[in-house]
Amino acid sequence: MARISPLAIAGIALIGGLWLAERARPLRRQTHETSTRQVRNIALGAGTMLVVTAIEMPLLKRLAKNNRHGLVQAIPLPRPLQVALGVAAMDYAYYWWHIATHRVPFLWRFHRVHHIDPDMDMTTALRFHAVDMLVSLPFRVAQVVLSGADPTILMAHRRFFDASVLFHHSNLRLPGRWDDSLSLVFTTPKMHGVHHSKVPEEMDSNWTSGLSLWDRLHGTLRRKPQDCIDIGVADRASLADLTLGNSLLAPFRATPEPLPSGNVSLR
Ligand SMILES: [Zn+2]
C-alpha cells in the first residue's frame, strides 16, 4: 500500500479544517450563490495547478538546485536562519510583485480574474488564470535567483505561501482577537478582505501574502470592519466575467474602465 507523506496529511488537514471552520464561523455574509462560484474557482484552479506542476515547479527546482549566488548564498548563517532568511526574502519579493500585478495594466488583466470574485472563501485562493502562471514565470525565476533559494528554501517557501494563501482568503472568523493578534506576524482573513474591496484606496493596501511585516514596514496596512467591505472589482464587466468562459477570455479583451468612485456597487 502506498504511504501518504506527513506533508500530504498536513495539507489535507488544513484544507478540511478550513472548509469546516468556514461553515462554522463565517467572517463575511456571502452575497452570491456559493456552489456555482466555488465550482468555477476550482475549475480555474485546476488549470493553474496544471501549469505550476508541469512547467513552473520543474523549472524553479532546476534553478534552485544550481543556485550559487543570491542573498542567502552571500551571507554566512546557521542553516535554520539561512532557510528563514530565504523564505522571508522570497515573501518580500512577492509583496512587490503583487503591487506590480495591480499597477501594470498587462499584469492587471490577469490578476483582475482573481479579484472579480464577488465573495471570498478558500476557493478564491484557486481563482487564478492559467496564463497568469506563465506571465509570472520571469518574476518567479528572479525571486529564486535573487533570494539565492536552494531546493529546501524553495519548497519551504512554497508550502508556507500555499498554506497562507488558502488561510487568508478563507471566510473564517477567528475567535476573539485571534485575527488581530495573528496579523502581527501573518496575513489574515480580515487583512486580506480589505485588499479585495472594490474601493480603490482599500484595494491599494494589505499587499502581503505571507508575513504582514512588509505592509507594516511600508505603511500599507489598513484595517476595516468586514461587514462594510464590498468585495470585487468596480467595473461594469466584473459580474459578467465570472463565468468560466468569460474568466478565461477576459484578459485578452480590453480591460473595462473602472466605475467612478461613489458608484462602486452594482448589486
Ligand atoms: Zn491583489
Side-chain angles (χ1 to χ4, degrees):
M1 204 175 110
R3 282 178 52 213
I4 306 175
S5 77
L7 265 171
I9 294 171
I12 293 165
L14 175 74
I15 292 167
L18 279 177
W19 192 84
L20 289 172
E22 279 186 324
R23 273 141 196 86
R25 301 183 56 88
L27 175 61
R28 291 165 290 258
R29 197 173 45 85
Q30 304 290 73
T31 57
H32 286 69
E33 206 268 309
T34 305
S35 46
T36 309
R37 197 177 61 72
Q38 289 179 330
V39 167
R40 288 168 176 162
N41 289 354
I42 292 166
L44 282 168
T48 300
M49 271 182 243
L50 193 71
V51 177
V52 169
T53 313
I55 301 170
E56 184 185 300
M57 283 318 282
L59 173 69
L60 297 186
K61 280 179 181 171
R62 193 178 308 172
L63 262 176
K65 211 172 160 185
N66 301 306
N67 218 359
R68 298 284 174 269
H69 306 285
L71 183 72
V72 297
Q73 313 283 345
I75 307 171
L77 281 172
R79 183 61 178 155
L81 284 181
Q82 195 181 39
V83 174
L85 177 68
V87 171
M90 291 183 78
D91 192 55
Y92 185 47
Y94 198 84
Y95 171 90
W96 289 106
W97 174 250
H98 189 187
I99 293 175
T101 61
H102 282 252
R103 298 270 194 271
V104 179
F106 175 71
L107 300 178
W108 172 245
R109 284 172 174 259
F110 295 93
H111 193 56
R112 177 179 167 275
V113 174
H114 172 64
H115 271 272
I116 58 176
D117 204 348
D119 287 310
M120 275 171 85
D121 61 21
M122 213 173 36
T123 67
T124 309
L126 306 174
R127 189 182 171 80
F128 284 91
H129 199 289
V131 177
D132 198 358
M133 300 302 109
L134 295 175
V135 167
S136 64
L137 212 48
F139 160 73
R140 300 280 185 186
V141 167
Q143 190 186 27
V144 170
V145 171
L146 294 176
S147 66
D150 56 28
T152 304
I153 294 170
L154 173 68
M155 293 316 294
H157 173 263
R158 184 49 64 118
R159 281 160 192 150
F160 169 60
F161 181 82
D162 288 350
S164 176
V165 168
L166 280 175
F167 170 65
H168 66 241
H169 284 98
S170 71
N171 189 30
L172 170 59
R173 186 182 294 277
L174 290 165
R177 293 188 53 82
W178 281 27
D179 196 296
D180 294 333
S181 303
L182 263 179
S183 74
L184 293 173
V185 183
F186 301 111
T187 311
T188 61
K190 273 165 73 177
M191 265 184 80
H192 202 66
V194 179
H195 175 66
H196 275 257
S197 165
K198 284 181 180 173
V199 178
E201 302 81 56
E202 291 169 5
M203 191 181 271
D204 281 355
S205 68
N206 299 4
W207 302 102
T208 54
S209 295
L211 301 171
S212 61
L213 169 69
W214 318 124
D215 274 316
R216 292 174 188 284
L217 201 66
H218 294 290
T220 50
L221 178 66
R222 186 186 283 260
R223 298 194 186 278
K224 191 180 178 182
Q226 299 294 303
D227 328 333
C228 315
I229 299 174
D230 195 1
I231 286 173
V233 174
D235 66 43
R236 294 205 176 277
S238 64
L239 291 182
D241 282 351
L242 279 174
T243 63
L244 192 56
N246 281 351
S247 289
L248 291 170
L249 289 173
F252 307 103
R253 296 173 175 152
T255 308
E257 284 297 313
L259 289 170
S261 299
N263 186 20
V264 293
S265 183
L266 282 174
R267 286 190 193 118

